[in-house]
Amino acid sequence: WKLKMSDKFIKQLTDRLKDRRQYLLREVKQRLNEFKNSGIDRLSDTADIASSMIEDQIVMSIAQGEAKEIEQIDSALDKINKDKYGNCESCGKGINKQRLMAIPFVSLCIKCKEEEERYEGSEIDSDGYRFDSLEYTGLEADDEKKKAISGILILVILISMLINYHINGTAFINS
């Protein structure tokens, strides 16, 4: 099922996608510079260090969201180039033109997106029936979360060493 779109409509969407991509790239670059220049080493107060870390985490979280949107835009531009743009990745039907205008990098039609959102957090049993998951196994299955937790633990250790250095003059924790 192929959605019929005029060349003018495709050009409008392509221009919007490219403009948004350039904007996001500038934003990500700015956020990464903010993160790089945050300068925890200049801070001496524990509260200042903790506050700076929280701000850095927020900046990085926003940058990750923007990077994900850039990936979605790149995917949409690739589909336009391959003449596969505008079809739902789940059901294969055409995505409504108003939806494409609102979110040019969207990959699911409204029906499939609603279905996806309805069943977030649900699992399918062996008979094909969905049920709500009572236990959370996401940490074990999600490598990105494992890496993030490892990074946070390393930051906590480094901050502890930094605080100890400022208090005792040594980077090692005295017992």
Side-chain angles (χ1 to χ4, degrees), residues 24 27-28 31 61-71:
L24 289 170
E27 289 291 308
V28 168
R31 290 188 204 292
S61 178
I62 292 169
Q64 286 174 338
E66 290 168 337
K68 183 178 180 188
E69 188 175 336
I70 290 169
E71 289 176 15

Side-chain angles (χ1 to χ4, degrees), residues 53 57 143-159:
M53 283 184 60
Q57 192 67 25
D143 286 338
E144 281 186 45
K145 287 182 182 173
K146 284 182 185 178
K147 288 177 188 174
I149 289 171
S150 296
I152 290 169
L153 290 175
I154 290 170
L155 280 174
V156 168
I157 291 168
L158 290 173
I159 288 171

Side-chain angles (χ1 to χ4, degrees), residues 77-125:
L77 290 169
D78 186 53
K79 288 177 188 175
I80 288 172
N81 288 335
K82 294 179 178 176
D83 201 29
K84 296 183 179 192
Y85 179 76
N87 292 323
C88 177
E89 288 181 358
S90 183
C91 69
K93 293 182 179 177
I95 298 172
N96 181 298
K97 285 185 180 182
Q98 286 80 14
R99 181 163 169 76
L100 291 172
M101 281 300 292
I103 313 167
F105 55 84
V106 72
S107 62
L108 298 174
C109 67
I110 290 177
K111 183 179 175 186
C112 290
K113 183 63 178 174
E114 287 173 350
E115 189 79 10
E116 176 186 78
E117 289 174 355
R118 183 177 354 206
Y119 290 114
E120 280 182 1
S122 298
E123 297 178 15
I124 300 175
D125 68 10

Side-chain angles (χ1 to χ4, degrees), residues 25-39 42 56 59-60 63:
L25 285 172
R26 284 191 304 272
E27 289 291 308
V28 168
K29 184 177 179 181
Q30 178 185 338
R31 290 188 204 292
L32 292 177
N33 283 334
E34 286 175 21
F35 179 75
K36 191 169 58 175
N37 298 328
S38 65
R42 294 188 311 256
D56 287 349
V59 167
M60 289 308 295

